[in-house]
Amino acid sequence: MSAPTLSQYLLNKQCHHSVITPQLEQLIMQVSIACKAIGITIGKGALAGVLGHAGSENIQGEEQKKLDIITNDIMLAATSKGGCVAGLASEEMEDIYPLPEGARLGDYLMLFDPLDGSSNIDVNVSVGTIFSILHKPEGKTDITTEDFLQAGTKQVCAGYVVYGPSTLLVLTLGHGVDCFTLDRELGEFILTETGMTIPEDTKEFAINMSNMRFWEQPVLRYVEELLAGKTHVRGKDFNMRWVASMVADVHRILTRGGVFMYPYDVKDASKAGKLRLMYEANPMSFIVEQAGGASTTGRVRILEIQPTGLHQRVPVILGSKNEVELVTGYHS
Ligand code: P6P
């Protein structure tokens, strides 16, 4: 029997396991269509005149790439009129997105980073789209920012698409993590891996070492022990990777284990971290935990953080459970 398409997989989840509602099934399909369009757009690169800077800044004060804006618009167009969401929020928009006049309100709220790792786009390194889906508050129609500020444990679905040598959609509905590969001829995401699991131990870590002098002592101690390898307390050598696209680094960890760290640093003490809680840390933490990994700020479980802002930043340490617990233990 040939592997199911995403649509068949979701229908099965809905019909036989009542894990998802028809609206959630439709919303995930809308996201998958948007990501296919994003993959085609970024695949054209210079040919489509979409590389380079847009000449604007996003809410984060980061220079926006043309593709940041283009991909954000693709996600909005694919989901805002589909009758499945009551509100949308994105890394690229300061405020929540008001649905078009007359749009049918759906049951869900979705937050997304349309093009994570966009600083890599001009150098042709893997980038991705990250999305997080929440229930809208029961009975509410006038959606406000506060309605989005739900802890990560409230997510009903989280996923990412990584645009690499192959285009992969990784998804959790709260019952494990499954992976779909885009068949570019068919234009369908095909289920290629079920029950992705992160090994509890690893010999690989991911961190931007250039920030070393800005780290807190527990992280410095942990990384120095990794670098000392078998000559020191860890008794084994470690390898290092840093793609600088969270989606690519997290996918590697889901595939072969590892620990990813973007810890708090005093480089800009006004920022609690670099990564954003609502549309990077929460969806990735949901996926990682569903795959048997762990995800903390170094002090608390990320999924239990009560958000205070749409673009709130947090430190992130996620991946192989025993490593995350070790470095988190150094903080206490
Ligand atoms: P740095 C991409 O901009 C991103 O938000 C994540 O995808 C990535 O892990 C991180 O920032 C890279 O940050 O400081 O190494 O460029």
Side-chain angles (χ1 to χ4, degrees), residues 283-313:
M284 289 310 204
S285 298
F286 187 19
I287 292 166
V288 163
E289 287 198 5
Q290 282 292 312
S295 180
T296 75
T297 62
R299 291 180 169 83
V300 297
R301 182 184 175 214
I302 283 179
L303 289 182
E304 291 178 350
I305 294 173
Q306 178 50 50
T308 55
L310 210 49
H311 302 289
Q312 175 179 352
R313 296 171 187 265

Side-chain angles (χ1 to χ4, degrees), residues 200-202 204-207 215-226 233-234 238 258-264 294-300 302 315-332:
E200 292 195 345
D201 294 301
T202 183
E204 197 159 67
F205 69 100
I207 194 166
W215 296 338
E216 293 182 300
Q217 188 51 37
V219 171
L220 194 57
R221 170 189 173 191
Y222 175 71
V223 172
E224 284 175 341
E225 287 175 355
L226 299 180
V233 290
R234 296 308 308 267
F238 285 77
V259 56
F260 170 97
M261 295 168 277
Y262 214 113
Y264 171 75
S295 180
T296 75
T297 62
R299 291 180 169 83
V300 297
I302 283 179
V316 177
I317 298 174
L318 61 77
S320 292
K321 189 172 190 174
N322 293 341
E323 290 302 320
V324 173
E325 289 178 352
L326 179 61
V327 57
T328 301
Y330 285 175
H331 285 74
S332 57

